Amino acid sequence: MSQKQMKEAFVSNHNGTSVLEITEGLCLPALCILCRGLLIIVSQHLCCSSHTWRTRFFIDFAFLIVPLVTTLTIFASFVLLEYLIVIIFGAGLLYETYCRRTCYARMPVGKILEKFLKISIESEYIPAISCFRVINSAFTAVAILAVDFPLFPRRFAKTELYGTGAMDFGVGGFIFGTAMVCPEVRRKYTKGSRLYLTKSLYSVWPLVFLGVGRLVIIKSIGYQEHLTEYGVHWNFFFTLIVVKLITSLLLIIFPLNKSWIVAISITVFYQLALDFTPLKRLILYGSDGSGTRVGLLNANREGISSTLGYVAIHMAGVQTGSYVLKKRSHIKDWIKVACCILLTAIGFFISLYIVQVNVEVASRRMANLAFCIWIVASCLILLSSLLLGDIILNFAKFLIKGATVPCSWKIIQSPAANRKYSESLVSEAERKEPTLCLITAMNRNQLIFFLLSNVTTGLVNLLVDTLHSSTLWALFVLNLYMFTNCLVIYVLHLQDKTVKFW
């Protein structure tokens, strides 16, 4: 076989892994982000001088990117050990913060918790959503290159027919994360505006350009492709275009708070069509039943048909975003929100088990009912983990006067008895504190990070024999690749540059 055929065979015909293993790996970054915040608080207390941008970049890279690389490679079979290490480290930092607290030093922990539950926080910005989007982007960036190396477990690769692989989460997670902050959720467009649909149409032109550009480049250089992922011509950007257009129309017709009904209706009717019409046979085996790729529909049948599932995922993300972005100020309200989302996620996982046993196993190629439930459940449990982590982080900040952590809620009000302290919480240091934060940088230029990751992945594959790389060499290349991508995005952020196409 040629090198291209060998690489295509290397990433094809896999059956995935368990939902539990993927969920374990997905929630680990939430704990790492919590530990990173606690470390920043402790270091601020021990060292009066603030961190330089280089120090903060290395801290963020070490806590966000390196664990993702190791979890998807050498520590793939030791995720529970990673959890144990991170939990012990985090508990130690939290205990250190409590012992060194500068506020309520002589007060028992029960009373401190009572006072903490009375505080208010800045709720205009939800850091957990930014963290969610960045974790998904970083995970995708690591996976798209790591999958070409032997040290990447094959069970994490995209599944061929049925099953759940870690890489199957990428597109669904991206769409869900984008939906949570879409213009409709943020009330950027007024309902009934004549310009609404025009703006939606205009906003997809960069995606058209990127989709066509990627298609032309891939075909012209003969780059390896996983044919059953989207088809011959279809790609991720075309899926985003169709999803954006369909959901824009749906959100004109249906109110935001009914998005969950739309999502359920689409997935149920789509699943019924798969079960009781020839649609499933067409998607899996083509119109002739032998896998033909003749004709535009046959050539791109996976990409075209799966958009319905992604539309449902988008609508579920809209419903989640509209719930999470409701104005709340008290920390008690956010604890209730985090617990509600966590319970909903557990409910979805139970539903997933029932559907996979009685209806059909999850299939990325079809984006069927089980697949949509799995994506939404995974997104919700990650989001709830991030919300709970940020609440714990705010408790640590509550104990240390003047503590600041980038990409975390700001405490804006304390109990009345401590008004002077409450005013100092949003201190001049916090206002002056530049957002020396990799999470903020990646969230700011998410599309550029994704494009840069795709370009550098292609360059690495053209320059390096990934199939025969040793473990140490593969780890070095992966970390260097992520370091380069993150540094470029970080420097853009330091220069206060936001690259937009519209």
Side-chain angles (χ1 to χ4, degrees):
M1 291 194 294
S2 66
Q3 186 77 356
K4 177 186 174 184
Q5 290 172 324
M6 288 173 64
K7 287 191 173 185
E8 287 175 347
F10 193 59
V11 299
S12 302
N13 300 312
H14 300 296
N15 298 318
T17 184
S18 68
V19 170
L20 178 61
E21 185 176 24
I22 298 169
T23 306
E24 288 171 354
L26 199 59
C27 293
L28 182 65
L31 273 176
C32 292
I33 288 173
L34 172 59
C35 289
R36 163 248 190 200
L38 293 171
L39 179 64
I40 290 172
I41 292 171
V42 171
S43 62
Q44 282 175 348
H45 184 63
L46 295 177
C47 310
C48 295
S49 58
S50 59
H51 293 138
T52 64
W53 71 268
R54 294 178 184 85
T55 304
R56 190 61 63 77
F57 175 77
F58 280 107
I59 290 174
D60 287 353
F61 187 84
F63 278 87
L64 179 65
I65 305 301
V66 173
L68 275 174
V69 173
T70 56
T71 301
L72 288 171
T73 53
I74 54 174
F75 290 157
S77 299
F78 306 98
V79 177
L80 293 179
L81 177 62
E82 285 187 286
Y83 267 98
L84 181 63
I85 293 169
V86 173
I87 288 171
I88 292 172
F89 182 67
L93 288 171
L94 188 59
Y95 179 74
E96 185 72 14
T97 303
Y98 178 76
C99 291
R100 294 178 179 274
R101 65 191 184 278
T102 57
C103 305
Y104 314 110
R106 298 183 179 181
M107 190 176 289
V109 65
K111 293 288 185 182
I112 295 174
L113 285 170
E114 281 182 24
K115 289 186 175 293
F116 173 68
L117 292 174
K118 294 176 183 177
I119 69 167
S120 295
I121 55 175
E122 184 184 68
S123 59
E124 295 295 324
Y125 165 66
I126 314 298
I129 294 180
S130 297
C131 292
F132 176 96
R133 286 157 54 83
V134 167
I135 287 171
N136 188 66
S137 294
F139 164 81
T140 303
V142 173
I144 59 175
L145 179 59
V147 71
D148 296 316
F149 288 95
L151 86 166
F152 184 83
R154 294 300 97 190
R155 66 184 184 277
F156 287 171
K158 289 184 177 178
T159 53
E160 194 68 24
L161 192 57
Y162 289 102
T164 51
M167 289 187 71
D168 292 330
F169 175 78
V171 177
F174 184 91
I175 287 174
F176 189 94
T178 302
M180 284 195 291
V181 292
C182 69
E184 294 86 355
V185 172
R186 291 182 286 121
R187 313 287 179 176
K188 191 173 179 180
Y189 300 147
T190 56
K191 190 167 179 66
S193 172
R194 293 180 180 180
L195 296 176
Y196 172 72
L197 194 55
T198 304
K199 287 180 179 179
S200 296
L201 289 170
Y202 179 69
S203 68
V204 302
W205 78 261
L207 298 175
V208 175
F209 174 77
L210 293 170
V212 173
R214 186 185 189 283
L215 174 63
V216 171
I217 292 170
I218 292 295
K219 297 299 180 184
S220 61
I221 66 174
Y223 193 77
Q224 67 264 19
E225 298 176 86
H226 189 181
L227 194 62
T228 59
E229 184 178 359
Y230 294 108
V232 178
H233 312 104
W234 202 269
N235 59 49
F236 169 70
F237 298 108
F238 294 146
T239 294
L240 289 185
I241 292 165
V242 176
V243 169
K244 172 65 177 174
L245 294 177
I246 294 176
T247 53
S248 295
L249 287 170
L250 289 172
L251 290 170
I252 290 175
I253 301 168
F254 301 98
L256 282 176
N257 61 355
K258 304 299 180 185
S259 298
W260 66 276
I261 298 176
V262 179
I264 292 173
S265 301
I266 291 171
T267 51
V268 169
F269 282 115
Y270 179 47
Q271 185 64 48
L272 289 172
L274 289 172
D275 290 339
F276 298 105
T277 71
L279 180 60
K280 184 189 295 185
R281 180 178 174 276
L282 173 65
I283 296 169
L284 298 180
Y285 307 111
S287 57
D288 66 350
S290 60
T292 180
R293 293 287 173 179
V294 177
L296 195 62
L297 179 60
N298 277 312
N300 305 286
R301 56 183 184 265
E302 294 91 351
I304 294 170
S305 61
S306 64
T307 52
L308 279 175
Y310 290 122
V311 166
I313 291 168
H314 187 281
M315 296 303 288
V318 168
Q319 183 70 51
T320 304
S322 61
Y323 172 66
V324 174
L325 291 174
K326 282 181 181 176
K327 191 168 180 61
R328 301 176 183 87
S329 56
H330 295 290
I331 198 75
K332 285 192 294 187
D333 295 333
W334 283 106
I335 293 172
K336 290 176 184 176
V337 168
C339 292
C340 179
I341 293 174
L342 179 60
L343 290 173
T344 305
I346 293 171
F348 270 105
F349 278 118
I350 294 170
S351 301
L352 174 63
Y353 175 78
I354 294 169
V355 169
Q356 291 208 115
V357 169
N358 297 288
V359 182
E360 187 175 38
V361 177
S363 171
R364 171 195 54 81
R365 282 175 72 175
M366 294 183 284
N368 59 359
L369 176 60
F371 176 82
C372 294
I373 293 173
W374 169 59
I375 293 294
V376 174
S378 300
C379 290
L380 290 178
I381 201 162
L382 174 57
L383 182 61
S384 63
S385 301
L386 290 166
L387 285 168
L388 290 169
D390 208 12
I391 290 165
I392 295 170
L393 199 55
N394 270 273
F395 177 70
K397 289 194 292 182
F398 180 71
L399 298 174
I400 304 291
K401 183 178 179 180
T404 59
V405 178
C407 203
S408 174
W409 273 314
K410 293 179 175 63
I411 301 173
I412 57 173
Q413 184 184 338
S414 266
N418 297 279
R419 196 164 297 279
K420 282 188 177 179
Y421 165 60
S422 70
E423 290 170 1
S424 69
L425 284 171
V426 186
S427 60
E428 194 64 29
E430 188 165 353
R431 292 188 193 99
K432 285 184 176 178
E433 179 87 19
T435 52
L436 300 178
C437 177
L438 181 59
I439 296 170
T440 305
M442 289 172 66
N443 187 57
R444 182 177 185 174
N445 283 300
Q446 192 175 23
L447 183 58
I448 291 299
F449 178 77
F450 179 75
L451 293 175
L452 183 62
S453 300
N454 274 267
V455 171
T456 47
T457 294
L459 289 174
V460 170
N461 269 284
L462 292 173
L463 297 173
V464 176
D465 181 10
T466 57
L467 293 180
H468 302 97
S469 296
S470 66
T471 298
L472 285 177
W473 174 243
L475 280 174
F476 172 77
V477 171
L478 283 170
N479 281 289
L480 179 62
Y481 150 83
M482 287 302 295
F483 185 87
T484 304
N485 294 339
C486 292
L487 186 60
V488 170
I489 295 300
Y490 199 74
V491 170
L492 278 175
H493 176 62
L494 291 178
Q495 297 295 322
D496 200 26
K497 303 290 185 185
T498 302
V499 181
K500 287 189 174 182
F501 296 93
W502 58 89

